[in-house]
Amino acid sequence: MALSQALLDELWDFGDPAGSEARLRTAAEAETDAATRAELATQVARALGLQERYADAEAVLSTTPITSAEAAVRVTLERGRLRNSAGDAGAAVGLFELAAEAAASAHLTFLHVDALHMLAIADPARSAEWTACALDVLEGTTDPRTLRWTVSLHNNAGWAHHEAGRTDEAVSEFEKARDAAIRWGTPQQVRWADEALAEVRPAG
């Protein structure tokens, strides 16, 4: 049984990785399905990584059994996030590519887009290419929670354009992020898009 994104949304608070770790550990300990328990373990590792406890996170991933295609992709994906957070973008890119390929082969759209979104972050020289790939993958889904990735993809592209001095392109991407946030995202994502637009739009 695959881990539901709805459950993960309840357990995760990215602004409180320590609290998220505690909730994820409790959920994993209570879970009777081995495949779901393995996926939860990868999220414990992610929470540890956000606390910069990289060795602890790797220890969790090293002992996580590969009980499903989802668990295999998540282990690779979280190893990539750990490498990227630790400053080893080269290793991270290779892991994200493996995760994207495995997710695509297993038709795991949400995780496929997650891996492509991480590639756009870790591989800035090809960021536009990876973002375009992720948006192409999303064209094939109608699931609102998966389509929420559109918000992050356009938001990240907007900041990349802004940092490169491409104001018109940045505004366009943030407008797309706002539209996607209204359709599939959260009120907070709408606010973030509004704040980004206020920051990058030329005065006058």
Side-chain angles (χ1 to χ4, degrees), residues 54-103:
Y54 303 131
D56 291 340
E58 183 57 44
V60 170
L61 293 175
S62 295
T63 57
T64 298
I66 304 303
T67 51
S68 65
E70 289 87 350
V73 171
R74 286 191 186 276
V75 166
T76 306
L77 185 55
E78 298 312 330
R79 280 206 167 105
R81 276 196 252 267
L82 287 177
R83 301 300 185 276
N84 194 54
S85 295
D88 189 353
V93 167
L95 288 162
F96 292 142
E97 288 179 328
L98 289 174
E101 291 166 6

Side-chain angles (χ1 to χ4, degrees), residues 3-6 9 107-111 113 137-151 180 183-185:
L3 175 61
S4 77
Q5 189 58 43
D9 288 342
H107 305 290
L108 301 173
T109 303
F110 190 95
L111 294 177
V113 176
V137 172
L138 288 171
E139 288 291 328
T141 186
T142 57
D143 173 57
R145 183 61 185 85
T146 302
L147 285 165
R148 189 182 297 176
W149 274 118
T150 310
V151 183
R183 294 184 67 184
W184 304 300

Side-chain angles (χ1 to χ4, degrees), residues 1-143:
M1 183 175 66
L3 175 61
S4 77
Q5 189 58 43
L7 174 59
L8 273 185
D9 288 342
E10 291 178 10
L11 295 172
W12 261 112
D13 176 358
F14 289 99
D16 179 18
S20 299
E21 177 201 347
R23 288 189 296 275
L24 289 158
R25 285 189 185 277
T26 298
E29 289 166 3
E31 181 57 59
T32 57
D33 179 75
T36 303
R37 190 164 59 249
E39 287 191 74
L40 285 165
T42 69
Q43 299 307 287
V44 170
R46 184 176 185 181
L48 289 166
L50 288 173
Q51 298 171 68
E52 299 184 2
R53 295 167 58 189
Y54 303 131
D56 291 340
E58 183 57 44
V60 170
L61 293 175
S62 295
T63 57
T64 298
I66 304 303
T67 51
S68 65
E70 289 87 350
V73 171
R74 286 191 186 276
V75 166
T76 306
L77 185 55
E78 298 312 330
R79 280 206 167 105
R81 276 196 252 267
L82 287 177
R83 301 300 185 276
N84 194 54
S85 295
D88 189 353
V93 167
L95 288 162
F96 292 142
E97 288 179 328
L98 289 174
E101 291 166 6
S105 295
H107 305 290
L108 301 173
T109 303
F110 190 95
L111 294 177
H112 187 191
V113 176
D114 192 354
L116 291 169
H117 136 268
M118 289 307 304
L119 278 164
I121 293 170
D123 187 9
R126 298 177 63 193
S127 180
E129 177 185 341
W130 294 123
T131 297
C133 287
L135 291 169
D136 284 347
V137 172
L138 288 171
E139 288 291 328
T141 186
T142 57
D143 173 57

